[in-house]
Amino acid sequence: MGYIGELLKGSTDSLLLALIKEKPMYGYQLIKELERRSKGYFKFKEGTIYPALHRLEEDRLIVGTWEKLSNGQERRYYRLTRKGEEALSSRMNIWQEFAKAVNLVVEPPQDRKRV
């Protein structure tokens, strides 16, 4: 899987929750929105997204409902629950602290003189 795959594996749920918080979305829409917003960096496959959505639904962080379209087809739209909002907020706080700590390590201190 590699390092990037491991990073994605740990971030997929948070990315999905963040998008679903904005508005209800269906699976394929989430895939396309992740790709669009990341300027093509995130190219998830259905085999990654749908198991994640099912896991989030089992954990009661999202709820899925079938909606009939004007052409008679149905789509499953996912919405964030109160528990999902709380989980997303907590995850974003943890992510921001983590990113800050990583930056402290990888960015050279500004006040050091070069030797």
Side-chain angles (χ1 to χ4, degrees):
M1 179 183 281
Y3 186 65
I4 292 174
E6 288 298 320
L7 287 172
L8 280 176
K9 185 177 177 184
S11 303
T12 302
D13 290 358
S14 296
L15 292 169
L16 291 172
L17 291 172
L19 288 179
I20 294 169
K21 180 181 180 181
E22 292 178 11
K23 67 178 184 178
M25 292 190 189
Y26 57 94
Y28 185 72
Q29 182 181 17
L30 287 161
I31 291 170
K32 291 317 229 175
E33 190 65 11
L34 285 164
E35 186 175 346
R36 185 186 70 76
R37 289 198 192 184
S38 69
K39 296 186 176 13
Y41 188 83
F42 296 134
K43 294 184 181 183
F44 287 99
K45 296 190 180 336
E46 291 178 11
T48 301
I49 293 297
Y50 286 104
L53 290 169
H54 295 158
R55 186 175 53 254
L56 292 169
E57 198 168 17
E58 285 174 11
D59 292 342
R60 294 188 166 88
L61 301 181
I62 62 172
V63 62
T65 56
W66 288 101
E67 295 186 16
K68 190 168 274 203
L69 305 176
S70 60
N71 63 5
Q73 293 181 324
E74 290 187 333
R75 281 194 182 136
R76 189 163 181 84
Y77 281 85
Y78 296 93
R79 291 169 176 75
L80 211 58
T81 63
R82 169 88 58 206
K83 184 178 176 183
E85 288 179 22
E86 292 168 0
L88 177 61
S89 178
S90 174
R91 290 173 187 209
M92 290 300 93
N93 288 334
I94 292 167
W95 176 257
Q96 288 167 353
E97 289 298 315
F98 177 78
K100 186 177 0 174
V102 168
N103 287 332
L104 288 171
V105 173
V106 299
E107 290 178 356
Q110 300 299 321
D111 58 340
R112 283 193 191 166
K113 294 182 181 180
R114 292 188 177 236
V115 178

